[in-house]
Amino acid sequence: MAPPYPRELVRSLEFIADVCNRRREGELTTAASLRRLCAEWGFPGTSTVTKADAEATWAVLPTIERMWDADRDTVAALVNRVFEQSDARPRLARHDDSDWHLHGLPAGAPLADVIAVDAAMALADLVRLDDLARCSRCADDRCERMFFDLSRNRSRRFCSTRCQSRTNVAAFRARHPSAPRDAAARD
Ligand SMILES: [Zn+2]
Ligand SMILES: [Zn+2]
């Protein structure tokens, strides 16, 4: 199957990439910063995020990053482990202005488990569709940002135009070591 993917699936994947990227870049360090990010994404029930919730969330991010990068069989095993460890009990829900969608855990479950199970459900979809290649990382060696590649032939290489042009400039300088520094901009 090719995109367009369901909006909920894309949102879940972009959310987990954003959480992992911001944590890696030192932007997410406190319960308040996690609460703000979750609110930005419209993540439900996060107004009471505590320090313990935040610490439990930081602890599940390495597993999420592994699921993002691993090969299909490994992702399948990791997804199953997350479901088991978080005691996931998927059920269909419909609330506010959203149509029927899956909740992995009952209301009131710990935020870290909700995030991990949500990530596992999204990655389970990509395992079934055999389209994990869209879970990408920026090709700039100084940037490890995760992004979900929605291009038609999975050809997106950079997290942003900033990383893309920085890489182009570096490549230009490598080819033309004696060029004036602003000449790269015209390459
Ligand atoms: Zn919901
Ligand atoms: Zn980048």
Side-chain angles (χ1 to χ4, degrees), residues 137-140 142-145 147 157-160 162-164 166:
R137 284 197 191 254
C138 185
D140 183 327
R142 282 160 301 179
C143 176
E144 289 177 86
R145 279 177 162 246
F147 64 88
R157 294 182 56 225
F158 297 96
C159 72
S160 62
R162 210 169 120 241
C163 280
Q164 178 161 23
R166 193 166 59 188

Side-chain angles (χ1 to χ4, degrees), residues 69-85:
D69 296 322
D71 64 83
R72 194 168 177 231
D73 292 358
T74 308
V75 177
L78 289 168
V79 163
N80 284 340
R81 198 184 310 155
V82 169
F83 285 158
E84 201 178 308
Q85 285 175 348

